[in-house]
């Protein structure tokens, strides 16, 4: 009986770590249903496990929880992320613009290759 409990706790810890990593990576608010829908196919999570893990993470202070009526929304604790100043934001915007132009150019080249317009 205690072995089953320790396995269940280990599994709960695994799901909680997975959900925490997901919320930190995406860094946007999600309901438990959203997280379940997004992770269920890839990891086979059950909805009860998702709700339980998210409530545990919120209780431990690893994520934040807001309640809107009957719905709970969970999101990464913003205190863990460094502040970004205006100069850094402008630099990132410039980098995004450059990379977007590069993607557009590569996409056009691929289309030309697919159409047989460019011969190697």
């Amino acid at each position: 009986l205690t072995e089953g409990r320790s396995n269940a706790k280990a599994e709960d810890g695994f799901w909680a770590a997975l959900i925490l990593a997901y919320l930190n990576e995406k860094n946007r608010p999600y309901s438990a249903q959203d997280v379940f829908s997004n992770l269920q196919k890839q990891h086979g999570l059950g909805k009860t496990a998702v709700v339980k893990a998210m409530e545990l993470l919120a209780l431990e202070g690893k994520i934040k929880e807001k309640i809107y009526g009957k719905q709970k929304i969970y999101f990464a604790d913003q205190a863990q992320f460094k502040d970004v100043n205006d100069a850094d934001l402008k630099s990132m915007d410039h980098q995004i613009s450059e990379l977007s132009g590069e993607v557009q150019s590569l996409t056009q080249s691929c289309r030309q290759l697919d159409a047989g317009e460019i011969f190697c």
Side-chain angles (χ1 to χ4, degrees), residues 82-95:
K82 70 175 188 165
D83 289 336
V84 181
N85 62 36
D86 286 341
D88 290 340
L89 285 175
K90 286 179 183 176
S91 173
M92 287 182 220
D93 285 341
H94 180 70
Q95 187 178 11

Side-chain angles (χ1 to χ4, degrees), residues 3 6 9 12 32 39 46-47 56-57 66-67 73 92 111 113-114 120:
E3 185 178 319
S6 65
K9 282 186 180 183
D12 288 348
L39 297 179
K47 186 169 181 185
L56 177 68
L57 288 167
K66 293 257 183 184
I67 300 172
I73 302 296
M92 287 182 220
R111 285 190 191 128
L113 281 170
D114 286 345
C120 297

Side-chain angles (χ1 to χ4, degrees), residues 8 10-21 39 43-46 49-50 53 57:
E11 192 171 288
D12 288 348
F14 173 77
W15 295 134
L18 178 76
I19 291 169
L20 179 60
L39 297 179
H43 298 286
L45 280 151
V50 170
L57 288 167

Side-chain angles (χ1 to χ4, degrees), residues 9-112:
K9 282 186 180 183
E11 192 171 288
D12 288 348
F14 173 77
W15 295 134
L18 178 76
I19 291 169
L20 179 60
Y22 177 77
L23 289 175
N24 285 335
E25 176 190 337
K26 299 301 181 188
N27 194 22
R28 62 172 295 251
Y30 286 103
S31 68
Q33 178 63 44
D34 293 335
V35 172
F36 166 71
S37 296
N38 295 340
L39 297 179
Q40 189 254 342
K41 291 177 191 166
Q42 190 175 16
H43 298 286
L45 280 151
K47 186 169 181 185
T48 304
V50 170
V51 170
K52 193 174 175 182
M54 293 182 83
E55 287 178 350
L56 177 68
L57 288 167
L59 196 63
E60 292 174 348
K62 294 180 179 176
I63 62 173
K64 299 294 181 184
E65 171 189 79
K66 293 257 183 184
I67 300 172
Y68 296 99
K70 293 182 179 181
Q71 179 137 13
K72 292 181 180 180
I73 302 296
Y74 300 91
F75 52 94
D77 184 0
Q78 298 301 299
Q80 68 180 316
F81 301 113
K82 70 175 188 165
D83 289 336
V84 181
N85 62 36
D86 286 341
D88 290 340
L89 285 175
K90 286 179 183 176
S91 173
M92 287 182 220
D93 285 341
H94 180 70
Q95 187 178 11
I96 289 169
S97 294
E98 286 179 349
L99 291 171
S100 295
E102 191 176 328
V103 166
Q104 190 174 11
S105 174
L106 289 170
T107 302
Q108 185 176 3
S109 294
C110 288
R111 285 190 191 128
Q112 288 174 341

